[in-house]
């Protein structure tokens, strides 16, 4: 069974700073099926990145994804006030979807 | 505009049943895989089930142990989740989400709250 681990659990940063979020899989996975989501309180998740590095529709270019194998990164180049939220990675493997536990990005 | 609207949530006693619905619009429903994802209060996201565009392929989270059944009616552009033998740990917000080419969930509904309590 593949497990996704996200780190850090909480990232405290100021607007304008760079955020680097990690998603690590317990075994090698296909980057084609690695996605990132943003969720704000009381809202549905929003797709940010699919295929590890492709931005979803209408996602600003300050969001970028990278990685392969077991290690994937979501980078927010310069945090805007609306970017403070929880971020989840997701992997599709063996007909199952797995979500990571999430990283909360909050205001320092 | 893609819209997904869930309904059917509510308060149910342990051991009870509930049927959730998701009404889709703004896209050709019959050509997309659909998913259910849930979120317990204050917790992370948990994938529940996926159904292929035609309904031929269906997958469930192992943790559900056969208590839930996903289905769809392409003529009505609707997705369903029949939930039986409900437990307190099934409490949470249930989202329906559209699946795109590599399984990513590209559009989500606003969710419907299910509360299992005596």
């Amino acid at each position: 069974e593949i497990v996704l681990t996200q780190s850090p659990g909480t990232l405290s940063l100021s607007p304008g700073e760079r955020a680097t979020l990690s998603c690590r899989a317990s075994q090698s996975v296909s980057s084609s099926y690695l996605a990132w989501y943003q969720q704000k309180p009381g809202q549905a998740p929003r797709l940010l990145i699919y295929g590890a590095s492709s931005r979803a529709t209408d996602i600003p270019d300050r969001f970028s994804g990278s990685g392969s194998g077991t290690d994937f990164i979501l980078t927010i180049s310069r945090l805007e006030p609306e970017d403070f939220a929880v971020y989840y990675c997701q992997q599709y493997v063996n007909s199952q979807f797995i979500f990571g536990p999430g990283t909360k990005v909050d205001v320092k | 505009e893609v819209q997904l609207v869930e309904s059917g949530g509510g308060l149910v006693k342990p051991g009870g049943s509930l049927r959730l619905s998701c009404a889709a619009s703004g896209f050709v429903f019959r050509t997309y895989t659909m998913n259910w994802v849930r979120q317990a209060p204050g917790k992370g996201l948990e994938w529940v089930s996926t159904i292929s565009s035609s309904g031929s392929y269906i997958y469930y989270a192992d943790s559900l142990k056969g208590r839930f059944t996903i289905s769809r009616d392409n003529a009505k552009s609707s997705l369903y989740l029949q939930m039986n033998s409900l437990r307190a740990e099934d409490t949470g917000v249930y989202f329906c989400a559209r699946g795109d080419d590599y399984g990513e969930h590209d559009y989500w509904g606003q969710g419907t709250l299910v509360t299992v309590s005596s």
Side-chain angles (χ1 to χ4, degrees):
Chain A
E1 178 188 338
I2 292 178
V3 175
L4 297 180
T5 302
Q6 291 188 242
S7 61
T10 301
L11 191 56
S12 297
L13 295 168
S14 300
E17 289 194 292
R18 181 185 188 89
T20 302
L21 287 67
S22 171
C23 175
R24 176 164 290 177
S26 56
Q27 57 186 275
S28 185
V29 296
S30 170
S31 59
S32 296
Y33 299 104
L34 194 287
W36 289 92
Y37 301 85
Q38 176 194 67
Q39 188 180 32
K40 298 177 183 178
Q43 296 186 17
R46 177 173 72 145
L47 176 67
L48 298 175
I49 300 288
Y50 64 95
S53 61
S54 298
R55 270 188 302 278
T57 303
D58 295 332
I59 300 303
D61 60 8
R62 64 179 181 274
F63 291 92
S64 63
S66 63
S68 63
T70 60
D71 293 300
F72 299 88
I73 298 289
L74 174 69
T75 302
I76 310 171
S77 59
R78 286 178 57 85
L79 282 164
E80 296 288 340
E82 62 268 28
D83 299 336
F84 292 93
V86 180
Y87 293 83
Y88 297 94
C89 58
Q90 178 204 45
Q91 176 68 29
Y92 176 66
V93 60
N94 295 333
S95 303
Q96 304 269 305
F97 286 96
I98 304 162
F99 285 96
T103 290
K104 182 179 182 179
V105 179
D106 66 12
V107 180
K108 186 174 182 180
Chain B
E1 178 193 5
V2 173
Q3 284 200 327
L4 298 169
V5 180
E6 302 93 337
S7 60
L11 176 63
V12 61
K13 288 181 168 54
S17 298
L18 213 53
R19 189 193 195 209
L20 306 183
S21 299
C22 172
S25 61
F27 65 101
V28 183
F29 181 76
R30 66 178 184 274
T31 65
Y32 283 87
T33 292
M34 295 297 296
N35 308 276
W36 287 101
V37 176
R38 69 183 180 181
Q39 186 169 36
K43 302 297 184 182
L45 301 172
E46 180 187 15
W47 170 73
V48 171
S49 183
T50 295
I51 185 168
S52 65
S53 57
S54 65
S56 298
Y57 299 96
I58 288 175
Y59 309 108
Y60 297 100
D62 293 340
S63 61
L64 295 180
K65 296 185 179 179
R67 297 184 296 120
F68 290 10
T69 302
I70 192 173
S71 62
R72 64 190 296 160
D73 185 335
N74 285 343
K76 295 183 178 179
S77 295
S78 293
L79 175 72
Y80 306 102
L81 185 67
Q82 177 67 42
M83 303 186 296
N84 298 329
S85 303
L86 283 162
R87 307 166 179 168
E89 54 264 37
D90 295 317
T91 293
V93 176
Y94 285 71
F95 298 99
C96 68
R98 192 179 82 168
D100 210 344
D101 292 345
Y102 288 92
E104 67 273 16
H105 299 9
D106 61 350
Y107 288 94
W108 297 64
Q110 83 290 349
T112 188
L113 177 62
V114 172
T115 303
V116 184
S117 175
S118 56

